[in-house]
Amino acid sequence: IKKVICNDRYGMIYEKIHSKKSLGRLCHDEPENIKFFGKEFARETVILHSTKCDIPGMRNYKEYYLDLYKTKKQDKILTPKLIDLINSEIEERNTCIHGDLTVGNIIFADNKWYWIDLGRIGYGDPVFDLMTPYFSFNLLSQFRFVRDIFHMSKEQLKELWDSFIEEYARLT
């Protein structure tokens, strides 16, 4: 991926990856390997979260969530208590955040993992990234459309989350 700058706007040039499978599709096709895939997902996420972010033009996720609350766009999820926690407990960090950390946004091809759908990439505390798989794999997995999106059952999503977060915690 090459970063390009045109006037005051940032962009990226992408390359098409052939013969790829998303992590979600791999888990669906090889359910006996879900624990392994969860650990792989964690390892790649730790690498991403260990990468210093080139801040100019990137989204600051702490500011982003605080602004969402101020504009009342997410007031059902971002409660005053959660906003107080974000303000008091989450420090500013210069580490990369994917912004949409799901099993559909990491693919495997040519014996390597690749992050895709980087339109929401930014920087901040990794907790902002970890919220997405937590909610998706645990709380939202009760809904059929979520299970259909990820190509996994509720039990498989829970197994994936458990192996992912255990490995993530071990590596950080």
Side-chain angles (χ1 to χ4, degrees), residues 35-83:
K35 286 182 182 176
F36 169 77
F37 291 133
K39 290 178 181 184
E40 289 291 296
F41 187 34
R43 285 196 264 296
E44 293 301 317
T45 302
V46 167
I47 292 168
L48 176 68
H49 290 165
S50 300
T51 303
K52 298 295 178 203
C53 198
D54 185 12
I55 290 177
M58 303 298 268
R59 174 181 285 169
N60 175 324
Y61 267 90
K62 184 173 183 177
E63 288 178 11
Y64 172 74
Y65 282 107
L66 294 174
D67 287 345
L68 274 180
Y69 179 73
K70 287 177 193 169
T71 60
K72 303 290 187 203
K73 290 184 178 174
Q74 292 289 333
D75 58 350
K76 301 245 189 298
I77 297 171
L78 296 171
T79 64
K81 185 175 180 179
L82 183 56
I83 292 302

mmCIF file of all heavy atoms in Angstrom, residues 35-83:
data_model
loop_
_atom_site.group_PDB
_atom_site.id
_atom_site.type_symbol
_atom_site.label_atom_id
_atom_site.label_comp_id
_atom_site.label_asym_id
_atom_site.label_seq_id
_atom_site.Cartn_x
_atom_site.Cartn_y
_atom_site.Cartn_z
ATOM 1 N N LYS A 35 -10.057 -21.909 17.057
ATOM 2 C CA LYS A 35 -9.140 -21.447 18.107
ATOM 3 C C LYS A 35 -7.812 -20.974 17.514
ATOM 4 O O LYS A 35 -7.277 -19.945 17.910
ATOM 5 C CB LYS A 35 -8.884 -22.546 19.142
ATOM 6 C CG LYS A 35 -10.055 -22.773 20.061
ATOM 7 C CD LYS A 35 -9.750 -23.823 21.098
ATOM 8 C CE LYS A 35 -10.976 -24.047 21.966
ATOM 9 N NZ LYS A 35 -10.789 -25.099 22.932
ATOM 10 N N PHE A 36 -7.298 -21.715 16.563
ATOM 11 C CA PHE A 36 -6.067 -21.313 15.870
ATOM 12 C C PHE A 36 -6.261 -19.968 15.173
ATOM 13 O O PHE A 36 -5.428 -19.072 15.281
ATOM 14 C CB PHE A 36 -5.657 -22.388 14.856
ATOM 15 C CG PHE A 36 -4.559 -21.950 13.932
ATOM 16 C CD1 PHE A 36 -3.244 -21.909 14.364
ATOM 17 C CD2 PHE A 36 -4.856 -21.549 12.629
ATOM 18 C CE1 PHE A 36 -2.235 -21.477 13.506
ATOM 19 C CE2 PHE A 36 -3.859 -21.124 11.771
ATOM 20 C CZ PHE A 36 -2.539 -21.081 12.209
ATOM 21 N N PHE A 37 -7.373 -19.807 14.460
ATOM 22 C CA PHE A 37 -7.630 -18.558 13.744
ATOM 23 C C PHE A 37 -7.812 -17.389 14.709
ATOM 24 O O PHE A 37 -7.400 -16.268 14.417
ATOM 25 C CB PHE A 37 -8.840 -18.692 12.819
ATOM 26 C CG PHE A 37 -8.600 -19.605 11.650
ATOM 27 C CD1 PHE A 37 -9.524 -20.578 11.313
ATOM 28 C CD2 PHE A 37 -7.445 -19.509 10.880
ATOM 29 C CE1 PHE A 37 -9.316 -21.427 10.239
ATOM 30 C CE2 PHE A 37 -7.216 -20.356 9.802
ATOM 31 C CZ PHE A 37 -8.157 -21.312 9.478
ATOM 32 N N GLY A 38 -8.419 -17.643 15.860
ATOM 33 C CA GLY A 38 -8.545 -16.594 16.872
ATOM 34 C C GLY A 38 -7.190 -16.104 17.344
ATOM 35 O O GLY A 38 -6.970 -14.899 17.522
ATOM 36 N N LYS A 39 -6.267 -17.032 17.519
ATOM 37 C CA LYS A 39 -4.909 -16.657 17.933
ATOM 38 C C LYS A 39 -4.178 -15.902 16.829
ATOM 39 O O LYS A 39 -3.452 -14.944 17.099
ATOM 40 C CB LYS A 39 -4.125 -17.900 18.351
ATOM 41 C CG LYS A 39 -4.634 -18.496 19.653
ATOM 42 C CD LYS A 39 -3.880 -19.744 20.032
ATOM 43 C CE LYS A 39 -4.448 -20.295 21.332
ATOM 44 N NZ LYS A 39 -3.720 -21.446 21.814
ATOM 45 N N GLU A 40 -4.381 -16.327 15.588
ATOM 46 C CA GLU A 40 -3.768 -15.602 14.460
ATOM 47 C C GLU A 40 -4.315 -14.180 14.377
ATOM 48 O O GLU A 40 -3.567 -13.225 14.154
ATOM 49 C CB GLU A 40 -4.032 -16.345 13.145
ATOM 50 C CG GLU A 40 -3.254 -17.637 13.001
ATOM 51 C CD GLU A 40 -1.774 -17.393 12.827
ATOM 52 O OE1 GLU A 40 -1.381 -16.783 11.818
ATOM 53 O OE2 GLU A 40 -0.998 -17.806 13.713
ATOM 54 N N PHE A 41 -5.618 -14.042 14.540
ATOM 55 C CA PHE A 41 -6.266 -12.734 14.532
ATOM 56 C C PHE A 41 -5.675 -11.861 15.636
ATOM 57 O O PHE A 41 -5.369 -10.679 15.418
ATOM 58 C CB PHE A 41 -7.777 -12.937 14.709
ATOM 59 C CG PHE A 41 -8.636 -11.709 14.573
ATOM 60 C CD1 PHE A 41 -8.321 -10.677 13.700
ATOM 61 C CD2 PHE A 41 -9.812 -11.611 15.304
ATOM 62 C CE1 PHE A 41 -9.148 -9.564 13.565
ATOM 63 C CE2 PHE A 41 -10.650 -10.510 15.171
ATOM 64 C CZ PHE A 41 -10.310 -9.482 14.312
ATOM 65 N N ALA A 42 -5.471 -12.435 16.805
ATOM 66 C CA ALA A 42 -4.875 -11.691 17.922
ATOM 67 C C ALA A 42 -3.452 -11.261 17.604
ATOM 68 O O ALA A 42 -3.065 -10.105 17.855
ATOM 69 C CB ALA A 42 -4.897 -12.552 19.193
ATOM 70 N N ARG A 43 -2.649 -12.159 17.059
ATOM 71 C CA ARG A 43 -1.257 -11.819 16.739
ATOM 72 C C ARG A 43 -1.186 -10.665 15.738
ATOM 73 O O ARG A 43 -0.409 -9.733 15.916
ATOM 74 C CB ARG A 43 -0.524 -13.043 16.199
ATOM 75 C CG ARG A 43 -0.164 -14.067 17.273
ATOM 76 C CD ARG A 43 0.884 -15.067 16.798
ATOM 77 N NE ARG A 43 0.409 -16.327 16.292
ATOM 78 C CZ ARG A 43 -0.245 -17.271 16.971
ATOM 79 N NH1 ARG A 43 -0.584 -17.075 18.214
ATOM 80 N NH2 ARG A 43 -0.577 -18.407 16.413
ATOM 81 N N GLU A 44 -2.004 -10.734 14.708
ATOM 82 C CA GLU A 44 -1.999 -9.664 13.706
ATOM 83 C C GLU A 44 -2.531 -8.354 14.291
ATOM 84 O O GLU A 44 -2.039 -7.270 13.959
ATOM 85 C CB GLU A 44 -2.816 -10.073 12.478
ATOM 86 C CG GLU A 44 -2.194 -11.223 11.700
ATOM 87 C CD GLU A 44 -0.794 -10.930 11.189
ATOM 88 O OE1 GLU A 44 -0.561 -9.811 10.676
ATOM 89 O OE2 GLU A 44 0.072 -11.817 11.287
ATOM 90 N N THR A 45 -3.499 -8.449 15.179
ATOM 91 C CA THR A 45 -4.044 -7.250 15.820
ATOM 92 C C THR A 45 -3.013 -6.610 16.738
ATOM 93 O O THR A 45 -2.875 -5.382 16.765
ATOM 94 C CB THR A 45 -5.339 -7.597 16.577
ATOM 95 O OG1 THR A 45 -6.282 -8.152 15.657
ATOM 96 C CG2 THR A 45 -5.948 -6.373 17.226
ATOM 97 N N VAL A 46 -2.266 -7.417 17.477
ATOM 98 C CA VAL A 46 -1.207 -6.882 18.342
ATOM 99 C C VAL A 46 -0.148 -6.170 17.505
ATOM 100 O O VAL A 46 0.327 -5.098 17.885
ATOM 101 C CB VAL A 46 -0.585 -7.997 19.221
ATOM 102 C CG1 VAL A 46 0.700 -7.538 19.875
ATOM 103 C CG2 VAL A 46 -1.596 -8.456 20.275
ATOM 104 N N ILE A 47 0.211 -6.733 16.372
ATOM 105 C CA ILE A 47 1.182 -6.064 15.485
ATOM 106 C C ILE A 47 0.625 -4.716 15.043
ATOM 107 O O ILE A 47 1.321 -3.693 15.090
ATOM 108 C CB ILE A 47 1.528 -6.953 14.267
ATOM 109 C CG1 ILE A 47 2.314 -8.183 14.714
ATOM 110 C CG2 ILE A 47 2.304 -6.157 13.219
ATOM 111 C CD1 ILE A 47 2.452 -9.259 13.646
ATOM 112 N N LEU A 48 -0.638 -4.691 14.621
ATOM 113 C CA LEU A 48 -1.264 -3.430 14.214
ATOM 114 C C LEU A 48 -1.265 -2.437 15.362
ATOM 115 O O LEU A 48 -0.876 -1.275 15.190
ATOM 116 C CB LEU A 48 -2.702 -3.682 13.740
ATOM 117 C CG LEU A 48 -3.518 -2.446 13.371
ATOM 118 C CD1 LEU A 48 -2.959 -1.788 12.117
ATOM 119 C CD2 LEU A 48 -4.980 -2.817 13.185
ATOM 120 N N HIS A 49 -1.672 -2.880 16.539
ATOM 121 C CA HIS A 49 -1.760 -1.988 17.697
ATOM 122 C C HIS A 49 -0.400 -1.595 18.252
ATOM 123 O O HIS A 49 -0.317 -0.690 19.091
ATOM 124 C CB HIS A 49 -2.607 -2.631 18.795
ATOM 125 C CG HIS A 49 -4.053 -2.716 18.443
ATOM 126 N ND1 HIS A 49 -4.933 -3.515 19.131
ATOM 127 C CD2 HIS A 49 -4.787 -2.108 17.472
ATOM 128 C CE1 HIS A 49 -6.137 -3.396 18.601
ATOM 129 N NE2 HIS A 49 -6.063 -2.548 17.581
ATOM 130 N N SER A 50 0.659 -2.235 17.801
ATOM 131 C CA SER A 50 2.029 -1.875 18.209
ATOM 132 C C SER A 50 2.675 -0.917 17.217
ATOM 133 O O SER A 50 3.798 -0.471 17.433
ATOM 134 C CB SER A 50 2.886 -3.137 18.322
ATOM 135 O OG SER A 50 2.347 -4.015 19.269
ATOM 136 N N THR A 51 1.970 -0.620 16.146
ATOM 137 C CA THR A 51 2.516 0.226 15.089
ATOM 138 C C THR A 51 2.211 1.685 15.394
ATOM 139 O O THR A 51 1.054 2.046 15.640
ATOM 140 C CB THR A 51 1.895 -0.164 13.722
ATOM 141 O OG1 THR A 51 2.159 -1.549 13.500
ATOM 142 C CG2 THR A 51 2.476 0.666 12.606
ATOM 143 N N LYS A 52 3.249 2.515 15.383
ATOM 144 C CA LYS A 52 3.066 3.951 15.571
ATOM 145 C C LYS A 52 2.361 4.511 14.351
ATOM 146 O O LYS A 52 2.658 4.150 13.223
ATOM 147 C CB LYS A 52 4.400 4.666 15.786
ATOM 148 C CG LYS A 52 5.137 4.216 17.032
ATOM 149 C CD LYS A 52 4.354 4.577 18.272
ATOM 150 C CE LYS A 52 5.081 4.086 19.511
ATOM 151 N NZ LYS A 52 4.217 3.910 20.632
ATOM 152 N N CYS A 53 1.429 5.404 14.583
ATOM 153 C CA CYS A 53 0.590 5.941 13.517
ATOM 154 C C CYS A 53 1.123 7.295 13.051
ATOM 155 O O CYS A 53 1.557 8.114 13.872
ATOM 156 C CB CYS A 53 -0.825 6.079 14.047
ATOM 157 S SG CYS A 53 -2.060 6.237 12.771
ATOM 158 N N ASP A 54 1.093 7.518 11.763
ATOM 159 C CA ASP A 54 1.434 8.805 11.168
ATOM 160 C C ASP A 54 0.219 9.708 11.345
ATOM 161 O O ASP A 54 -0.732 9.642 10.571
ATOM 162 C CB ASP A 54 1.783 8.602 9.692
ATOM 163 C CG ASP A 54 2.262 9.866 9.024
ATOM 164 O OD1 ASP A 54 2.540 10.859 9.729
ATOM 165 O OD2 ASP A 54 2.352 9.865 7.785
ATOM 166 N N ILE A 55 0.222 10.530 12.377
ATOM 167 C CA ILE A 55 -0.975 11.214 12.851
ATOM 168 C C ILE A 55 -1.607 12.220 11.879
ATOM 169 O O ILE A 55 -2.822 12.240 11.752
ATOM 170 C CB ILE A 55 -0.687 11.879 14.216
ATOM 171 C CG1 ILE A 55 -0.523 10.783 15.263
ATOM 172 C CG2 ILE A 55 -1.801 12.831 14.611
ATOM 173 C CD1 ILE A 55 -0.178 11.275 16.633
ATOM 174 N N PRO A 56 -0.865 13.061 11.177
ATOM 175 C CA PRO A 56 -1.550 14.076 10.353
ATOM 176 C C PRO A 56 -2.576 13.444 9.403
ATOM 177 O O PRO A 56 -2.292 12.511 8.675
ATOM 178 C CB PRO A 56 -0.413 14.724 9.567
ATOM 179 C CG PRO A 56 0.795 14.507 10.413
ATOM 180 C CD PRO A 56 0.585 13.170 11.074
ATOM 181 N N GLY A 57 -3.795 13.966 9.468
ATOM 182 C CA GLY A 57 -4.862 13.472 8.608
ATOM 183 C C GLY A 57 -5.565 12.228 9.114
ATOM 184 O O GLY A 57 -6.512 11.765 8.495
ATOM 185 N N MET A 58 -5.118 11.666 10.236
ATOM 186 C CA MET A 58 -5.720 10.440 10.767
ATOM 187 C C MET A 58 -6.719 10.778 11.876
ATOM 188 O O MET A 58 -6.603 11.785 12.548
ATOM 189 C CB MET A 58 -4.637 9.514 11.326
ATOM 190 C CG MET A 58 -3.563 9.135 10.324
ATOM 191 S SD MET A 58 -4.195 8.237 8.922
ATOM 192 C CE MET A 58 -4.000 6.599 9.488
ATOM 193 N N ARG A 59 -7.683 9.884 12.062
ATOM 194 C CA ARG A 59 -8.713 10.064 13.085
ATOM 195 C C ARG A 59 -8.163 9.728 14.468
ATOM 196 O O ARG A 59 -7.564 8.678 14.668
ATOM 197 C CB ARG A 59 -9.884 9.140 12.766
ATOM 198 C CG ARG A 59 -10.970 9.127 13.822
ATOM 199 C CD ARG A 59 -12.070 8.181 13.461
ATOM 200 N NE ARG A 59 -12.871 8.803 12.411
ATOM 201 C CZ ARG A 59 -13.800 8.160 11.716
ATOM 202 N NH1 ARG A 59 -14.044 6.892 11.924
ATOM 203 N NH2 ARG A 59 -14.501 8.788 10.798
ATOM 204 N N ASN A 60 -8.398 10.620 15.424
ATOM 205 C CA ASN A 60 -8.097 10.378 16.828
ATOM 206 C C ASN A 60 -9.358 9.749 17.417
ATOM 207 O O ASN A 60 -10.401 10.398 17.513
ATOM 208 C CB ASN A 60 -7.760 11.701 17.525
ATOM 209 C CG ASN A 60 -7.563 11.547 19.011
ATOM 210 O OD1 ASN A 60 -8.227 10.765 19.676
ATOM 211 N ND2 ASN A 60 -6.650 12.331 19.541
ATOM 212 N N TYR A 61 -9.279 8.476 17.802
ATOM 213 C CA TYR A 61 -10.487 7.760 18.215
ATOM 214 C C TYR A 61 -11.054 8.239 19.544
ATOM 215 O O TYR A 61 -12.270 8.190 19.749
ATOM 216 C CB TYR A 61 -10.278 6.244 18.181
ATOM 217 C CG TYR A 61 -10.720 5.721 16.838
ATOM 218 C CD1 TYR A 61 -9.833 5.634 15.778
ATOM 219 C CD2 TYR A 61 -12.042 5.396 16.609
ATOM 220 C CE1 TYR A 61 -10.250 5.210 14.529
ATOM 221 C CE2 TYR A 61 -12.474 4.974 15.370
ATOM 222 C CZ TYR A 61 -11.578 4.888 14.337
ATOM 223 O OH TYR A 61 -12.009 4.487 13.105
ATOM 224 N N LYS A 62 -10.242 8.736 20.442
ATOM 225 C CA LYS A 62 -10.787 9.281 21.691
ATOM 226 C C LYS A 62 -11.626 10.515 21.370
ATOM 227 O O LYS A 62 -12.771 10.625 21.818
ATOM 228 C CB LYS A 62 -9.659 9.619 22.656
ATOM 229 C CG LYS A 62 -10.151 10.106 24.007
ATOM 230 C CD LYS A 62 -9.013 10.274 24.991
ATOM 231 C CE LYS A 62 -9.518 10.691 26.351
ATOM 232 N NZ LYS A 62 -8.422 10.786 27.328
ATOM 233 N N GLU A 63 -11.087 11.416 20.572
ATOM 234 C CA GLU A 63 -11.840 12.606 20.175
ATOM 235 C C GLU A 63 -13.091 12.231 19.390
ATOM 236 O O GLU A 63 -14.145 12.843 19.550
ATOM 237 C CB GLU A 63 -10.959 13.540 19.341
ATOM 238 C CG GLU A 63 -9.899 14.246 20.131
ATOM 239 C CD GLU A 63 -9.013 15.128 19.257
ATOM 240 O OE1 GLU A 63 -9.344 15.350 18.067
ATOM 241 O OE2 GLU A 63 -7.985 15.596 19.777
ATOM 242 N N TYR A 64 -12.967 11.239 18.528
ATOM 243 C CA TYR A 64 -14.092 10.799 17.697
ATOM 244 C C TYR A 64 -15.281 10.377 18.564
ATOM 245 O O TYR A 64 -16.418 10.819 18.341
ATOM 246 C CB TYR A 64 -13.641 9.651 16.794
ATOM 247 C CG TYR A 64 -14.741 8.984 16.029
ATOM 248 C CD1 TYR A 64 -15.336 9.607 14.933
ATOM 249 C CD2 TYR A 64 -15.200 7.719 16.398
ATOM 250 C CE1 TYR A 64 -16.353 8.989 14.222
ATOM 251 C CE2 TYR A 64 -16.213 7.095 15.683
ATOM 252 C CZ TYR A 64 -16.787 7.737 14.599
ATOM 253 O OH TYR A 64 -17.789 7.121 13.896
ATOM 254 N N TYR A 65 -15.039 9.531 19.575
ATOM 255 C CA TYR A 65 -16.136 9.064 20.417
ATOM 256 C C TYR A 65 -16.680 10.173 21.310
ATOM 257 O O TYR A 65 -17.893 10.246 21.548
ATOM 258 C CB TYR A 65 -15.726 7.831 21.228
ATOM 259 C CG TYR A 65 -15.748 6.586 20.381
ATOM 260 C CD1 TYR A 65 -14.569 5.984 19.961
ATOM 261 C CD2 TYR A 65 -16.951 6.034 19.967
ATOM 262 C CE1 TYR A 65 -14.592 4.858 19.156
ATOM 263 C CE2 TYR A 65 -16.985 4.905 19.161
ATOM 264 C CZ TYR A 65 -15.800 4.323 18.763
ATOM 265 O OH TYR A 65 -15.829 3.214 17.954
ATOM 266 N N LEU A 66 -15.819 11.054 21.779
ATOM 267 C CA LEU A 66 -16.293 12.187 22.576
ATOM 268 C C LEU A 66 -17.155 13.111 21.719
ATOM 269 O O LEU A 66 -18.202 13.598 22.177
ATOM 270 C CB LEU A 66 -15.112 12.935 23.190
ATOM 271 C CG LEU A 66 -14.313 12.148 24.236
ATOM 272 C CD1 LEU A 66 -13.084 12.934 24.671
ATOM 273 C CD2 LEU A 66 -15.172 11.760 25.432
ATOM 274 N N ASP A 67 -16.761 13.340 20.474
ATOM 275 C CA ASP A 67 -17.558 14.172 19.562
ATOM 276 C C ASP A 67 -18.898 13.513 19.238
ATOM 277 O O ASP A 67 -19.920 14.203 19.144
ATOM 278 C CB ASP A 67 -16.790 14.461 18.270
ATOM 279 C CG ASP A 67 -15.657 15.457 18.465
ATOM 280 O OD1 ASP A 67 -15.628 16.134 19.518
ATOM 281 O OD2 ASP A 67 -14.804 15.551 17.559
ATOM 282 N N LEU A 68 -18.897 12.186 19.039
ATOM 283 C CA LEU A 68 -20.159 11.481 18.788
ATOM 284 C C LEU A 68 -21.140 11.705 19.935
ATOM 285 O O LEU A 68 -22.333 11.922 19.717
ATOM 286 C CB LEU A 68 -19.926 9.984 18.623
ATOM 287 C CG LEU A 68 -19.551 9.460 17.262
ATOM 288 C CD1 LEU A 68 -19.363 7.946 17.317
ATOM 289 C CD2 LEU A 68 -20.581 9.807 16.213
ATOM 290 N N TYR A 69 -20.611 11.645 21.153
ATOM 291 C CA TYR A 69 -21.475 11.841 22.322
ATOM 292 C C TYR A 69 -22.013 13.268 22.356
ATOM 293 O O TYR A 69 -23.204 13.493 22.586
ATOM 294 C CB TYR A 69 -20.711 11.520 23.605
ATOM 295 C CG TYR A 69 -21.553 11.721 24.840
ATOM 296 C CD1 TYR A 69 -22.572 10.829 25.144
ATOM 297 C CD2 TYR A 69 -21.346 12.804 25.676
ATOM 298 C CE1 TYR A 69 -23.368 11.009 26.265
ATOM 299 C CE2 TYR A 69 -22.133 12.994 26.802
ATOM 300 C CZ TYR A 69 -23.143 12.094 27.087
ATOM 301 O OH TYR A 69 -23.927 12.279 28.190
ATOM 302 N N LYS A 70 -21.140 14.240 22.105
ATOM 303 C CA LYS A 70 -21.554 15.648 22.144
ATOM 304 C C LYS A 70 -22.643 15.940 21.118
ATOM 305 O O LYS A 70 -23.533 16.744 21.361
ATOM 306 C CB LYS A 70 -20.356 16.567 21.883
ATOM 307 C CG LYS A 70 -19.391 16.643 23.033
ATOM 308 C CD LYS A 70 -18.203 17.512 22.660
ATOM 309 C CE LYS A 70 -17.086 17.342 23.654
ATOM 310 N NZ LYS A 70 -15.846 17.961 23.189
ATOM 311 N N THR A 71 -22.578 15.307 19.973
ATOM 312 C CA THR A 71 -23.573 15.553 18.927
ATOM 313 C C THR A 71 -24.789 14.639 19.060
ATOM 314 O O THR A 71 -25.691 14.695 18.233
ATOM 315 C CB THR A 71 -22.944 15.362 17.526
ATOM 316 O OG1 THR A 71 -22.453 14.028 17.408
ATOM 317 C CG2 THR A 71 -21.820 16.348 17.291
ATOM 318 N N LYS A 72 -24.794 13.799 20.094
ATOM 319 C CA LYS A 72 -25.920 12.903 20.395
ATOM 320 C C LYS A 72 -26.185 11.877 19.300
ATOM 321 O O LYS A 72 -27.282 11.354 19.186
ATOM 322 C CB LYS A 72 -27.202 13.704 20.665
ATOM 323 C CG LYS A 72 -27.098 14.704 21.771
ATOM 324 C CD LYS A 72 -26.996 14.017 23.098
ATOM 325 C CE LYS A 72 -27.054 15.048 24.225
ATOM 326 N NZ LYS A 72 -26.467 14.603 25.429
ATOM 327 N N LYS A 73 -25.158 11.564 18.494
ATOM 328 C CA LYS A 73 -25.362 10.582 17.429
ATOM 329 C C LYS A 73 -25.347 9.147 17.953
ATOM 330 O O LYS A 73 -25.856 8.256 17.305
ATOM 331 C CB LYS A 73 -24.305 10.748 16.340
ATOM 332 C CG LYS A 73 -24.500 12.012 15.538
ATOM 333 C CD LYS A 73 -23.506 12.114 14.424
ATOM 334 C CE LYS A 73 -23.770 13.385 13.625
ATOM 335 N NZ LYS A 73 -22.765 13.627 12.631
ATOM 336 N N GLN A 74 -24.741 8.921 19.102
ATOM 337 C CA GLN A 74 -24.659 7.567 19.666
ATOM 338 C C GLN A 74 -25.023 7.594 21.147
ATOM 339 O O GLN A 74 -24.427 6.886 21.947
ATOM 340 C CB GLN A 74 -23.241 7.000 19.487
ATOM 341 C CG GLN A 74 -22.854 6.716 18.074
ATOM 342 C CD GLN A 74 -23.582 5.519 17.510
ATOM 343 O OE1 GLN A 74 -23.982 4.624 18.235
ATOM 344 N NE2 GLN A 74 -23.763 5.507 16.204
ATOM 345 N N ASP A 75 -26.003 8.389 21.538
ATOM 346 C CA ASP A 75 -26.282 8.562 22.960
ATOM 347 C C ASP A 75 -26.894 7.336 23.629
ATOM 348 O O ASP A 75 -26.946 7.260 24.843
ATOM 349 C CB ASP A 75 -27.127 9.804 23.215
ATOM 350 C CG ASP A 75 -28.451 9.793 22.470
ATOM 351 O OD1 ASP A 75 -28.635 8.919 21.601
ATOM 352 O OD2 ASP A 75 -29.282 10.666 22.759
ATOM 353 N N LYS A 76 -27.328 6.335 22.860
ATOM 354 C CA LYS A 76 -27.840 5.098 23.469
ATOM 355 C C LYS A 76 -26.689 4.174 23.883
ATOM 356 O O LYS A 76 -26.811 3.409 24.823
ATOM 357 C CB LYS A 76 -28.758 4.372 22.491
ATOM 358 C CG LYS A 76 -29.955 5.190 22.058
ATOM 359 C CD LYS A 76 -31.226 4.561 22.527
ATOM 360 C CE LYS A 76 -32.468 5.191 21.965
ATOM 361 N NZ LYS A 76 -32.714 6.547 22.284
ATOM 362 N N ILE A 77 -25.580 4.257 23.168
ATOM 363 C CA ILE A 77 -24.416 3.419 23.461
ATOM 364 C C ILE A 77 -23.421 4.183 24.329
ATOM 365 O O ILE A 77 -22.901 3.667 25.306
ATOM 366 C CB ILE A 77 -23.744 2.953 22.153
ATOM 367 C CG1 ILE A 77 -24.705 2.071 21.358
ATOM 368 C CG2 ILE A 77 -22.439 2.219 22.436
ATOM 369 C CD1 ILE A 77 -24.245 1.741 19.965
ATOM 370 N N LEU A 78 -23.164 5.419 23.955
ATOM 371 C CA LEU A 78 -22.187 6.241 24.677
ATOM 372 C C LEU A 78 -22.891 6.968 25.818
ATOM 373 O O LEU A 78 -23.298 8.117 25.703
ATOM 374 C CB LEU A 78 -21.525 7.234 23.715
ATOM 375 C CG LEU A 78 -20.698 6.604 22.605
ATOM 376 C CD1 LEU A 78 -20.275 7.646 21.589
ATOM 377 C CD2 LEU A 78 -19.482 5.902 23.171
ATOM 378 N N THR A 79 -23.009 6.295 26.933
ATOM 379 C CA THR A 79 -23.681 6.846 28.101
ATOM 380 C C THR A 79 -22.752 7.824 28.824
ATOM 381 O O THR A 79 -21.527 7.783 28.631
ATOM 382 C CB THR A 79 -24.060 5.708 29.063
ATOM 383 O OG1 THR A 79 -22.843 5.095 29.525
ATOM 384 C CG2 THR A 79 -24.951 4.680 28.386
ATOM 385 N N PRO A 80 -23.296 8.680 29.684
ATOM 386 C CA PRO A 80 -22.429 9.585 30.453
ATOM 387 C C PRO A 80 -21.354 8.834 31.249
ATOM 388 O O PRO A 80 -20.214 9.290 31.342
ATOM 389 C CB PRO A 80 -23.410 10.307 31.380
ATOM 390 C CG PRO A 80 -24.702 10.296 30.626
ATOM 391 C CD PRO A 80 -24.707 8.965 29.902
ATOM 392 N N LYS A 81 -21.704 7.675 31.790
ATOM 393 C CA LYS A 81 -20.720 6.891 32.548
ATOM 394 C C LYS A 81 -19.581 6.426 31.640
ATOM 395 O O LYS A 81 -18.405 6.491 32.016
ATOM 396 C CB LYS A 81 -21.404 5.684 33.203
ATOM 397 C CG LYS A 81 -20.486 4.887 34.096
ATOM 398 C CD LYS A 81 -21.235 3.788 34.811
ATOM 399 C CE LYS A 81 -20.290 3.010 35.707
ATOM 400 N NZ LYS A 81 -20.963 1.952 36.442
ATOM 401 N N LEU A 82 -19.913 5.959 30.437
ATOM 402 C CA LEU A 82 -18.878 5.529 29.498
ATOM 403 C C LEU A 82 -18.015 6.712 29.070
ATOM 404 O O LEU A 82 -16.794 6.585 28.976
ATOM 405 C CB LEU A 82 -19.512 4.843 28.287
ATOM 406 C CG LEU A 82 -18.551 4.269 27.248
ATOM 407 C CD1 LEU A 82 -17.568 3.287 27.863
ATOM 408 C CD2 LEU A 82 -19.328 3.602 26.127
ATOM 409 N N ILE A 83 -18.614 7.849 28.834
ATOM 410 C CA ILE A 83 -17.844 9.051 28.458
ATOM 411 C C ILE A 83 -16.901 9.455 29.590
ATOM 412 O O ILE A 83 -15.740 9.803 29.354
ATOM 413 C CB ILE A 83 -18.795 10.206 28.075
ATOM 414 C CG1 ILE A 83 -19.525 9.868 26.776
ATOM 415 C CG2 ILE A 83 -18.051 11.526 27.952
ATOM 416 C CD1 ILE A 83 -18.632 9.599 25.579
#
